[in-house]
Amino acid sequence: MAVRATVSRFPIDTDAREGSGLLWGVTVTPFAASDENGQSPAYGSGGDLLPRCENCWAYFNTYCELEQWSWSCSLCGNLNGLSSDAIERYSRPQSCAEMMSSFVDLELPPQEESDEAALEACPVYVAAIDLSSSEEFLELTKSALLAALEALAPGSLFGLATFSHKLGLYDVQGPIPVVKNVFIPPEAEGTLTIELEDVMPLLQFLAPVDTCKDRIASALETLRPTTSWERTTAAGQGLEGVLLGGRGFGVAMEALCGYLGSEYGNTFALARIFAFLSGPPDYGAGQLDTRRYGEQYASQRKDPDRALLPEQTPFYKDLAAVAVQAGVCVDVFAVTNEYTDLASLKFLSIESGGSLFLYTSTEDSTLPQDMYRMLSRPYAFGCVLRLRTSTEFKPGNSYGHFFPDPQYENVQHVICCDSYATYAYDFVFENNIGFSSKSDVPTLQIAFQYSVVVPPQELSNSGGVSTSRTKHHSLQRRLRIRTVQFGVAQNIHELYDSCDPEVVLSLLVHKVILASLEEGVREGRLLLQEWLVILAAQYNDAYKLVQYSNGNSIRSQLDVAFSQCPQLQSLPRLIFALLRNPLLRFHEEGVHPDYRIYLQCLFSALEPSSLHRAVYPVLTSYATPDKQAYPRHSLSRAALLTSGSPIFFLDAFTILIVFYSSTADQTLPFPPPHDCLLRTTINKLKKERCITPKLIFIRGGQDDASIFENFLIEEQDVDGSGLTSVMGFVSFLEDITQKVLEFMK
Ligand SMILES: [Zn+2]
């Protein structure tokens, strides 16, 4: 569990926080294997025995003062009694994880073992494939699923379903695959007239991956796109001569969630649906009207960003709630360059703990690699996240892809969570006293309760004779607790010096995404610029850089580059880059609304360092493929030209570009050979990433280099009104200076 704060020394009170212009909050990556410094948790058992404060319910931790019979809570100071068992345990501190580290991962006692429990422990995966699609789409989906089958843990169950104007369920457990179809009613309010359980019993549909891998593969081979004849016949008629796509996605998803959730009272421990979609749902319940996109192009009067960002129907948000209830996580893979209205669809994935992927072409799609990666890494599921603070302050807003608890404040549910998934919180003071007392130590405690599937082989290692004939997965419930203490900044300089700009960026990105969803992209941009203006004004004020008496010289004295404070210096560049990012660029500049939504979903789950790369890519240069020249360049054409390096490597998180300059020595091998330093670096980056970055090699002077050059943003205009005679980043700073002046007056 990694926890990073915007400032490692907290502001002393509300005045100090407001006076600094900085944000105050943390990012939390609960399932990260180590903390932000690379330290692993202390592992142990008996999570249920961990003492809790009778006043604030915080867990006992190493910061608590332990007496012989009692302990005082490090969050609220309450004195709590110790049970005789705890006294006994804490007399041997070396045997207790919670006495050794403020970061612990404790097993909770197993639930009773039964056949039913064994079945529930099986991870269940269902692929739902859009047949109202093309041969190319189906080819890509097949290769993605074949990759997935390789990554699935032994003992997993797999179901294959298809949708178009009908929903198809495959039974692959017999000698030849059998498909049973149910017609989806075309009406916008329709639901299936028959329970899926009656079409095919769930356990016939869900096949063990271990024994049925080949049969699943041959069933995939039989998939064909529905013909346009089939679609029009099903729809009854084309709409004014336009063929309906017949993509009954909404009803299919609704039925599948119910199907997986219905069996055995509750649910399987972990059920995931991979939904492969080749265009907008346009048939039956949950159909989306994509004409609103065309209308935006036609009329210039409305703010198009504002109009295309909200959902057009609550259908998928409601469906997400059903999925959460059933314990089903839905991953949506949209492979399309058509307007698909992800703004409406996204809720189904992000609220159920799934991911949203968008590929605009079947040709260079990384879908199979992304699926393999996603399934081969560890997952926590059925997670509950709870943040507690010491009494002087409390959480304000919370951000991220979770489901808030309907009853308890600051409790969040996450159906499925990987080691990258990151959440953010900001803080407010409980009152106007703040941390003014010398004894105040700002303290955070994050409790993360979760389940993991323990594969059969690990179980047999745990010793003892297995009584069960069939090896099966077991579920393990765990409690991970992290308690962190922070300092208090005694003055504004200490506050600025303790700033972590990457975490500030994370919180800002969450805020501007929310602002653009609620009020439009234009408002989001304004909020961001305003924030920088206020920060710069407060900074100039704090460092007494401006002599108010002499009005004429104010401008020349003003420092918007934060030259006195290295910790803040990267912020203007980050804000500039964020304003240049498709996340916040205008519709008129050609940012596709689905791509914007995809970026919003991606950015709001990234941990701070990854987000930093996505916003302001890392540019390095190499003298040869085996020798680095400079570890860091600013994203400026001028910087590139003056550096004189022949090879550049750009890491923009979703894309990696190797660029050979047109003046590079012709004897340098292109592309870089497989055993060189540059390749090793690339492979390491790819391996560590939650998504598969696209890798591109460009030879300057021969290949089209525009994709690389577009990343060199510092000479580009921030408003997107095209290249102007004024330089981009420089004129941006000029503009900020002007606004700071106005603000300070
Ligand atoms: Zn307490």
Side-chain angles (χ1 to χ4, degrees):
M1 182 186 296
V3 179
R4 289 174 65 179
T6 53
V7 280
S8 59
R9 289 184 202 159
F10 282 5
I12 200 160
D13 55 22
T14 304
D15 286 348
R17 195 201 69 69
E18 285 175 354
S20 72
L22 277 176
L23 298 171
W24 180 31
V26 287
T27 58
V28 178
T29 313
F31 195 52
S34 55
D35 71 9
E36 61 286 355
N37 302 313
Q39 294 288 317
S40 302
Y43 291 97
S45 55
D48 55 324
L49 304 175
L50 192 63
R52 299 186 71 172
C53 172
E54 287 155 19
N55 178 47
C56 73
W57 296 104
Y59 292 89
F60 175 81
N61 60 80
T62 47
Y63 297 112
C64 297
E65 268 177 55
L66 185 64
E67 309 279 334
Q68 195 175 0
W69 315 104
S70 66
W71 59 285
S72 47
C73 176
S74 62
L75 273 84
C76 74
N78 188 58
L79 192 69
N80 299 285
L82 273 178
S83 69
S84 49
D85 287 348
I87 293 168
E88 162 65 16
R89 270 187 298 131
Y90 294 155
S91 64
R92 293 173 281 110
Q94 295 307 312
S95 64
C96 294
E98 68 267 29
M99 294 286 280
M100 319 249 299
S101 171
S102 57
F103 178 21
V104 295
D105 205 11
L106 306 175
E107 283 178 21
L108 291 166
Q111 282 151 358
E112 58 184 290
E113 187 84 356
S114 68
D115 283 352
E116 198 176 290
L119 182 66
E120 281 180 12
C122 290
V124 169
Y125 301 92
V126 171
I129 304 173
D130 182 359
L131 291 188
S132 190
S133 59
S134 63
E135 291 283 357
E136 294 75 27
F137 170 84
L138 288 181
E139 277 310 313
L140 180 67
T141 306
K142 281 175 207 171
S143 40
L145 286 171
L146 292 176
L149 288 174
E150 293 308 314
L152 293 181
S156 305
L157 298 176
F158 183 89
L160 177 61
T162 56
F163 61 90
S164 54
H165 58 281
K166 53 193 182 184
L167 170 61
L169 300 177
Y170 281 76
D171 175 2
V172 297
Q173 300 188 63
I176 49 158
V178 176
V179 56
K180 296 218 172 142
N181 287 302
V182 195
F183 282 94
I184 294 172
E187 305 81 46
E189 285 85 36
T191 50
L192 292 187
T193 48
I194 177 168
E195 293 282 324
L196 291 188
E197 184 64 34
D198 297 332
V199 178
M200 186 181 289
L202 187 59
L203 291 181
Q204 204 171 321
F205 172 67
L206 295 175
V209 171
D210 306 339
T211 52
C212 296
K213 204 178 271 183
D214 292 344
R215 289 183 194 156
I216 297 167
S218 40
L220 286 172
E221 282 308 317
T222 66
L223 300 183
R224 294 283 173 277
T226 51
T227 61
S228 54
W229 180 83
E230 275 183 289
R231 293 179 212 171
T232 33
T233 314
Q237 75 283 319
L239 189 71
E240 291 162 13
V242 183
L243 293 183
L244 291 175
R247 204 173 281 120
F249 177 69
V251 175
M253 285 296 126
E254 197 171 44
L256 286 172
C257 286
Y259 193 25
L260 294 171
S262 66
E263 193 75 347
Y264 305 102
N266 192 9
T267 63
F268 291 95
L270 170 64
R272 286 184 87 149
I273 299 179
F274 307 131
F276 298 93
L277 198 58
S278 73
D282 55 3
Y283 181 87
Q287 57 184 275
L288 298 170
D289 183 1
T290 52
R291 281 173 306 177
R292 71 173 184 164
Y293 182 53
E295 277 162 10
Q296 280 312 317
Y297 271 130
S299 90
Q300 297 294 320
R301 276 176 300 171
K302 270 200 240 165
D303 176 0
D305 306 306
R306 201 166 176 175
L308 291 170
L309 286 174
E311 70 273 23
Q312 60 172 288
T313 160
F315 183 88
Y316 293 96
K317 208 170 188 167
D318 296 345
L319 188 52
V322 173
V324 169
Q325 197 75 45
V328 176
C329 154
V330 184
D331 298 288
V332 175
F333 302 90
V335 188
T336 175
N337 55 10
E338 249 183 287
Y339 174 61
T340 301
D341 192 9
L342 295 184
S344 298
L345 289 171
K346 67 175 183 189
F347 297 101
L348 183 56
S349 60
I350 60 175
E351 297 208 345
S352 71
S355 305
L356 177 70
F357 292 87
L358 173 67
Y359 308 94
T360 51
S361 137
T362 50
E363 273 164 30
D364 55 354
S365 162
T366 51
L367 172 61
Q369 294 91 319
D370 283 337
M371 277 219 85
Y372 183 82
R373 241 161 224 278
M374 192 175 87
L375 293 172
S376 10
R377 57 178 180 246
Y379 271 95
F381 55 91
C383 320
V384 186
L385 187 62
R386 173 76 153 103
L387 175 69
R388 290 187 174 85
T389 63
S390 48
T391 44
E392 308 84 6
F393 69 115
K394 60 184 179 185
N397 300 296
S398 52
Y399 309 94
H401 300 170
F402 46 55
F403 212 77
D405 189 278
Q407 197 178 349
Y408 297 103
E409 252 190 307
N410 305 317
V411 177
Q412 278 101 25
H413 296 268
V414 184
I415 294 288
C416 192
C417 170
D418 66 14
S419 57
Y420 300 96
T422 300
Y423 309 91
Y425 301 87
D426 56 22
F427 301 128
V428 288
F429 281 99
E430 192 67 61
N431 53 43
N432 53 15
I433 301 165
F435 303 117
S436 50
S437 158
K438 279 262 182 286
S439 61
D440 285 337
V441 183
T443 308
L444 275 188
Q445 185 175 77
I446 298 129
F448 182 62
Q449 211 185 95
Y450 64 100
S451 293
V452 284
V453 173
V454 185
Q457 52 267 39
E458 281 186 36
L459 197 71
S460 59
N461 288 344
S462 65
V465 182
S466 175
T467 50
S468 168
R469 279 182 297 116
T470 49
K471 283 185 175 180
H472 55 70
H473 287 77
S474 67
L475 277 187
Q476 198 170 79
R477 193 83 183 146
R478 290 183 187 162
L479 178 63
R480 187 175 277 207
I481 310 272
R482 177 92 197 275
T483 313
V484 199
Q485 294 196 329
F486 294 90
V488 176
Q490 296 306 318
N491 54 53
I492 196 162
H493 302 272
E494 281 188 16
L495 193 62
Y496 285 151
D497 288 343
S498 78
C499 172
D500 182 340
E502 288 186 340
V503 187
V504 172
L505 178 69
S506 285
L507 268 98
L508 276 174
V509 163
H510 281 295
K511 284 179 187 294
V512 296
I513 289 175
L514 278 186
S516 44
L517 284 173
E518 282 162 12
E519 296 169 79
V521 169
R522 217 165 285 272
E523 280 303 314
R525 294 176 65 91
L526 282 177
L527 180 132
L528 197 58
Q529 297 194 44
E530 223 166 75
W531 179 83
L532 183 61
V533 167
I534 294 172
L535 177 70
Q538 308 288 38
Y539 158 85
N540 276 277
D541 195 32
Y543 280 83
K544 305 271 181 288
L545 295 170
V546 180
Q547 304 295 320
Y548 285 99
S549 52
N550 187 351
N552 288 336
S553 62
I554 287 184
R555 193 188 170 87
S556 60
Q557 293 161 358
L558 212 61
D559 172 15
V560 295
F562 301 97
S563 44
Q564 311 278 323
C565 179
Q567 291 303 319
L568 302 179
Q569 272 164 26
S570 60
L571 285 169
R573 268 205 166 78
L574 291 179
I575 304 298
F576 172 76
L578 196 49
L579 290 166
R580 287 289 319 156
N581 194 282
L583 183 79
L584 285 180
R585 278 163 71 185
F586 294 117
H587 189 76
E588 303 91 275
E589 286 185 76
V591 179
H592 194 283
D594 285 336
Y595 184 60
R596 194 193 304 282
I597 294 288
Y598 163 72
L599 284 182
Q600 288 185 348
C601 294
L602 177 71
F603 284 11
S604 51
L606 289 183
E607 54 84 33
S609 304
S610 302
L611 182 64
H612 185 182
R613 264 163 212 260
V615 170
Y616 196 96
V618 177
L619 183 63
T620 49
S621 64
Y622 285 76
T624 72
D626 258 319
K627 188 165 181 287
Q628 199 185 64
Y630 296 98
R632 193 87 203 218
H633 293 277
S634 59
L635 298 172
S636 128
R637 282 166 192 260
L640 248 65
L641 286 174
T642 50
S643 85
S645 299
I647 304 171
F648 293 92
F649 174 54
L650 181 116
D651 176 4
F653 192 75
T654 54
I655 189 166
L656 304 174
I657 303 176
V658 175
F659 176 79
Y660 279 46
S661 95
S662 55
T663 56
D665 188 341
Q666 292 299 310
T667 60
L668 286 173
F670 178 90
H674 280 273
D675 51 356
C676 69
L677 173 70
L678 180 52
R679 283 281 191 174
T680 319
T681 310
I682 291 171
N683 291 338
K684 187 167 173 284
L685 286 172
K686 283 171 88 171
K687 211 175 151 195
E688 289 166 352
R689 202 142 291 182
C690 61
I691 55 159
T692 317
K694 201 188 277 182
L695 178 60
I696 298 174
F697 298 102
I698 299 172
R699 199 159 211 182
Q702 293 182 26
D703 309 325
D704 176 9
S706 54
I707 188 163
F708 175 69
E709 286 163 357
N710 286 340
F711 280 107
L712 305 175
I713 51 173
E714 296 211 353
E715 282 96 352
Q716 294 171 26
D717 180 15
V718 70
D719 292 329
S721 48
L723 282 168
T724 57
S725 53
V726 201
M727 289 302 197
F729 183 58
V730 177
S731 74
F732 170 71
L733 287 184
E734 282 283 309
D735 185 45
I736 294 295
T737 307
Q738 189 56 42
K739 290 190 167 103
V740 171
L741 273 176
E742 283 161 23
F743 180 82
M744 290 178 91
K745 276 175 188 166

Coordinates of all heavy atoms in Angstrom, one line a residue, residues 564-591:
Q564 N 12.8 30.3 -6.4 CA 13.3 30.1 -5.0 C 12.9 28.8 -4.4 O 13.4 28.5 -3.3 CB 12.6 31.2 -4.1 CG 12.7 32.6 -4.6 CD 14.1 33.2 -4.3 OE1 14.7 33.0 -3.3 NE2 14.6 34.0 -5.3
C565 N 12.0 28.0 -5.0 CA 11.6 26.8 -4.4 C 11.6 25.6 -5.4 O 10.7 25.5 -6.2 CB 10.1 27.0 -3.9 SG 9.5 25.5 -3.1
P566 N 12.6 24.8 -5.4 CA 12.8 23.7 -6.3 C 11.6 22.7 -6.3 O 11.2 22.2 -7.4 CB 14.0 22.9 -5.9 CG 14.7 23.9 -5.0 CD 13.7 24.8 -4.4
Q567 N 10.9 22.6 -5.2 CA 9.8 21.6 -5.1 C 8.6 22.0 -6.0 O 7.8 21.2 -6.3 CB 9.4 21.4 -3.7 CG 10.4 20.7 -2.8 CD 10.7 19.3 -3.4 OE1 9.9 18.6 -3.8 NE2 12.0 19.0 -3.3
L568 N 8.5 23.4 -6.2 CA 7.3 23.8 -7.0 C 7.6 24.1 -8.4 O 6.7 24.3 -9.2 CB 6.8 25.2 -6.4 CG 6.4 25.1 -4.9 CD1 5.9 26.5 -4.4 CD2 5.3 24.1 -4.6
Q569 N 8.9 24.0 -8.8 CA 9.4 24.4 -10.1 C 8.7 23.7 -11.3 O 8.6 24.2 -12.4 CB 10.9 24.4 -10.2 CG 11.5 25.7 -9.8 CD 13.0 25.6 -9.5 OE1 13.6 24.7 -10.1 NE2 13.5 26.4 -8.6
S570 N 8.4 22.4 -11.1 CA 7.9 21.6 -12.2 C 6.4 21.9 -12.5 O 5.8 21.6 -13.5 CB 8.0 20.1 -11.9 OG 7.4 19.8 -10.8
L571 N 5.7 22.6 -11.5 CA 4.3 22.8 -11.6 C 3.8 23.6 -12.8 O 2.9 23.1 -13.5 CB 3.7 23.4 -10.3 CG 3.6 22.3 -9.2 CD1 3.3 23.0 -7.8 CD2 2.6 21.2 -9.5
P572 N 4.4 24.7 -13.2 CA 3.9 25.4 -14.4 C 4.0 24.6 -15.6 O 3.1 24.6 -16.4 CB 4.9 26.7 -14.5 CG 5.4 26.9 -13.1 CD 5.5 25.5 -12.5
R573 N 5.1 23.8 -15.8 CA 5.2 22.9 -17.0 C 4.1 21.9 -16.9 O 3.5 21.6 -18.0 CB 6.5 22.2 -16.9 CG 7.6 23.0 -17.7 CD 8.7 22.0 -18.2 NE 9.5 22.8 -19.2 CZ 10.4 23.7 -18.9 NH1 10.6 24.0 -17.6 NH2 11.0 24.3 -19.8
L574 N 3.8 21.3 -15.8 CA 2.8 20.3 -15.7 C 1.4 20.8 -16.0 O 0.6 20.2 -16.8 CB 2.7 19.7 -14.3 CG 4.0 18.8 -13.9 CD1 3.8 18.3 -12.5 CD2 4.1 17.6 -14.9
I575 N 1.1 22.0 -15.6 CA -0.2 22.7 -15.9 C -0.3 23.0 -17.4 O -1.3 22.7 -18.0 CB -0.3 24.0 -15.0 CG1 -0.2 23.7 -13.5 CG2 -1.7 24.6 -15.4 CD1 -1.2 22.8 -12.9
F576 N 0.8 23.5 -17.9 CA 0.9 23.8 -19.3 C 0.6 22.5 -20.1 O -0.2 22.5 -21.1 CB 2.2 24.4 -19.7 CG 2.5 24.6 -21.2 CD1 1.9 25.6 -21.9 CD2 3.3 23.7 -21.9 CE1 2.1 25.8 -23.2 CE2 3.5 23.8 -23.2 CZ 2.9 24.9 -23.9
A577 N 1.3 21.4 -19.8 CA 1.2 20.2 -20.5 C -0.3 19.6 -20.3 O -0.8 19.1 -21.3 CB 2.2 19.2 -20.0
L578 N -0.8 19.8 -19.2 CA -2.2 19.3 -18.9 C -3.2 20.1 -19.8 O -4.1 19.5 -20.4 CB -2.5 19.4 -17.5 CG -3.7 18.7 -16.9 CD1 -3.7 17.2 -17.3 CD2 -3.8 18.8 -15.4
L579 N -2.9 21.4 -20.0 CA -3.8 22.2 -20.9 C -3.6 21.8 -22.3 O -4.5 22.0 -23.1 CB -3.5 23.7 -20.7 CG -3.9 24.3 -19.3 CD1 -3.2 25.6 -19.1 CD2 -5.4 24.4 -19.3
R580 N -2.5 21.2 -22.7 CA -2.2 20.7 -24.0 C -2.7 19.3 -24.2 O -2.7 18.8 -25.3 CB -0.7 20.8 -24.4 CG -0.1 22.1 -24.6 CD -0.5 22.8 -25.8 NE -0.6 21.9 -27.0 CZ -1.3 22.2 -28.1 NH1 -2.0 23.3 -28.1 NH2 -1.3 21.3 -29.1
N581 N -3.1 18.6 -23.1 CA -3.4 17.2 -23.2 C -4.9 17.1 -23.8 O -5.7 17.9 -23.5 CB -3.4 16.6 -21.8 CG -3.4 15.1 -21.8 OD1 -4.5 14.5 -22.0 ND2 -2.3 14.5 -21.7
P582 N -5.1 16.0 -24.6 CA -6.4 15.8 -25.2 C -7.5 15.7 -24.1 O -8.7 16.0 -24.4 CB -6.3 14.4 -25.9 CG -4.9 14.2 -26.1 CD -4.1 15.0 -25.1
L583 N -7.1 15.5 -22.9 CA -8.1 15.5 -21.8 C -8.8 16.8 -21.7 O -10.0 16.9 -21.3 CB -7.3 15.2 -20.5 CG -8.1 15.0 -19.2 CD1 -8.8 13.7 -19.1 CD2 -7.3 15.3 -18.0
L584 N -8.1 17.9 -21.9 CA -8.6 19.2 -21.7 C -8.6 20.1 -23.0 O -8.8 21.3 -22.9 CB -7.8 19.9 -20.6 CG -8.1 19.5 -19.2 CD1 -7.2 20.3 -18.2 CD2 -9.6 19.7 -18.9
R585 N -8.3 19.4 -24.1 CA -8.3 20.2 -25.3 C -9.7 20.2 -25.9 O -10.6 19.4 -25.6 CB -7.3 19.7 -26.4 CG -5.9 20.3 -26.0 CD -4.9 19.5 -26.7 NE -4.9 19.8 -28.1 CZ -4.1 19.1 -29.0 NH1 -3.3 18.2 -28.5 NH2 -4.2 19.4 -30.3
F586 N -10.0 21.2 -26.7 CA -11.4 21.4 -27.2 C -11.8 20.4 -28.3 O -10.9 20.0 -29.0 CB -11.6 22.9 -27.7 CG -11.5 23.9 -26.6 CD1 -10.4 24.8 -26.6 CD2 -12.3 23.9 -25.5 CE1 -10.3 25.8 -25.6 CE2 -12.2 24.8 -24.5 CZ -11.2 25.8 -24.5
H587 N -13.0 20.2 -28.3 CA -13.7 19.4 -29.3 C -13.3 19.8 -30.7 O -13.0 19.0 -31.6 CB -15.2 19.5 -29.1 CG -16.0 18.6 -29.9 ND1 -16.2 17.3 -29.6 CD2 -16.8 18.8 -31.0 CE1 -17.0 16.7 -30.5 NE2 -17.3 17.6 -31.4
E588 N -13.3 21.2 -30.9 CA -12.9 21.7 -32.2 C -11.5 21.4 -32.6 O -11.2 21.4 -33.8 CB -13.0 23.3 -32.2 CG -14.3 23.8 -31.7 CD -14.4 24.1 -30.2 OE1 -14.7 23.1 -29.5 OE2 -14.1 25.2 -29.8
E589 N -10.7 21.0 -31.7 CA -9.3 20.6 -32.0 C -9.2 19.2 -32.5 O -8.1 18.7 -32.7 CB -8.4 20.9 -30.9 CG -8.1 22.3 -30.6 CD -7.1 22.4 -29.5 OE1 -5.9 22.1 -29.7 OE2 -7.5 22.7 -28.3
G590 N -10.4 18.5 -32.6 CA -10.4 17.2 -33.1 C -10.3 16.1 -32.0 O -9.9 15.0 -32.3
V591 N -10.5 16.4 -30.7 CA -10.5 15.4 -29.7 C -11.8 14.7 -29.7 O -12.9 15.3 -29.5 CB -10.3 16.0 -28.3 CG1 -10.3 15.0 -27.2 CG2 -9.0 16.8 -28.3

